[in-house]
Amino acid sequence: DAGITQSPRHKVTETGTPVTLRCHQTENHRYMYWYRQDPGHGLRLIHYSYGVKDTDKGEVSDGYSVSRSKTEDFLLTLESATSSQTSVYFCAISGGYSRGQETQYFGPGTRLLVL
Amino acid sequence: DAKTTQPNSMESNEEEPVHLPCNHSTISGTDYIHWYRQLPSQGPEYVIHGLTSNVNNRMASLAIAEDRKSSTLILHRATLRDAAVYYCILSVSDSNYQLIWGAGTKLIIKP
């Protein structure tokens, strides 16, 4: 299994509070991704990073920000959580050497409930 | 919007082959076809990918139509551990190779 951990694994928070989710990898992979998954749906890309301090928006980036100050860590921040951000959040990594055909490896997910 | 179309669910008997279809009629020449699966309460895991030719690995086979507008994931001998949601995904070159996920097919394996 790829060395990817996510913390926390479960979180309950209240509307309007800031929340930060952490993804940590031990594979030294260049690319890191944050996805969200809602019931009955596939994954939707929030943000991704292609290197330290290099990030870009995905399909559903509104309300989220990210930071990557080290290769191994990618942080997802909800500046002011809303109930619509209740979801399961997955982090993924990939090497980035064969664009289009590389494998993404996923973490175990973080379940976030915003009350 | 998802660029692939899959049935919502399929059932198969244990130890029999399973053919999971996927339509991707708007695929372009440089888009790769990927399959991932997601077991209950876990993150997705890679199954297989291809561009034009059929592909085989230890988990499955991928059959790609000659016009590339459809593909089929083949599990040669399904087990109960293969019960999962299977996603057919395009890696789209004009979107910086982001994976565009649909809702997937829930595969139910009957003992």
Side-chain angles (χ1 to χ4, degrees), chain A residues 13-19 63 78-85 112 114-115:
Chain A
T13 191
E14 294 187 349
T15 298
T17 59
V19 176
L78 291 65
E79 300 291 346
S80 178
T82 68
S83 58
S84 64
Q85 294 176 311
L112 176 66
V114 183
L115 300 175

Side-chain angles (χ1 to χ4, degrees), chain A residues 35-69:
Chain A
Y35 292 91
R36 62 177 287 175
Q37 184 174 35
D38 300 301
H41 295 274
L43 278 67
R44 290 184 292 172
L45 183 65
I46 304 172
H47 282 280
Y48 67 98
S49 170
Y50 47 96
V52 173
K53 298 186 180 179
D54 293 323
T55 65
D56 205 351
K57 297 179 178 179
E59 178 188 1
V60 290
S61 60
D62 287 348
Y64 302 94
S65 62
V66 291
S67 65
R68 191 170 178 198
S69 59

Side-chain angles (χ1 to χ4, degrees), chain A residues 37 42 48 99-101 104, chain B residues 34 36 38 87 91 96-97 102:
Chain A
Q37 184 174 35
Y48 67 98
R99 301 300 284 131
Q101 57 177 325
Q104 289 189 16
Chain B
H34 297 254
Y36 282 71
Q38 187 174 22
Y87 295 96
S91 175
N96 200 24
Y97 295 107

Side-chain angles (χ1 to χ4, degrees), chain A:
Chain A
D1 290 343
I4 310 169
T5 56
Q6 294 185 229
S7 59
R9 294 292 314 279
H10 302 270
K11 186 168 182 67
V12 180
T13 191
E14 294 187 349
T15 298
T17 59
V19 176
T20 296
L21 308 182
R22 180 183 183 235
C23 178
H24 179 77
Q25 61 145 329
T26 58
E27 306 296 322
N28 201 34
H29 277 8
R30 179 184 176 195
Y31 280 75
M32 299 185 75
Y33 310 82
W34 276 108
Y35 292 91
R36 62 177 287 175
Q37 184 174 35
D38 300 301
H41 295 274
L43 278 67
R44 290 184 292 172
L45 183 65
I46 304 172
H47 282 280
Y48 67 98
S49 170
Y50 47 96
V52 173
K53 298 186 180 179
D54 293 323
T55 65
D56 205 351
K57 297 179 178 179
E59 178 188 1
V60 290
S61 60
D62 287 348
Y64 302 94
S65 62
V66 291
S67 65
R68 191 170 178 198
S69 59
K70 298 185 290 185
T71 298
E72 57 265 36
D73 290 327
F74 192 33
L75 303 181
L76 177 70
T77 298
L78 291 65
E79 300 291 346
S80 178
T82 68
S83 58
S84 64
Q85 294 176 311
T86 292
S87 189
V88 180
Y89 291 85
F90 288 101
C91 174
I93 64 174
S94 66
Y97 302 110
S98 301
R99 301 300 284 131
Q101 57 177 325
E102 63 204 23
T103 297
Q104 289 189 16
Y105 301 94
F106 285 82
T110 294
R111 290 186 176 272
L112 176 66
L113 174 61
V114 183
L115 300 175

Side-chain angles (χ1 to χ4, degrees), chain B residues 7-62:
Chain B
N8 289 333
S9 65
M10 291 183 62
E11 289 189 358
S12 182
N13 294 319
E14 192 176 14
E15 299 186 5
E16 290 185 356
V18 180
H19 291 237
L20 295 166
C22 180
N23 289 319
H24 28 78
S25 58
T26 61
I27 193 170
S28 71
T30 53
D31 295 344
Y32 282 82
I33 302 158
H34 297 254
W35 285 81
Y36 282 71
R37 73 179 186 180
Q38 187 174 22
L39 279 65
S41 300
Q42 293 188 24
E45 65 174 343
Y46 169 81
V47 177
I48 201 167
H49 78 277
L51 183 62
T52 56
S53 303
N54 294 345
V55 184
N56 301 294
N57 66 21
R58 64 175 181 82
M59 289 182 70
S61 295
L62 175 61

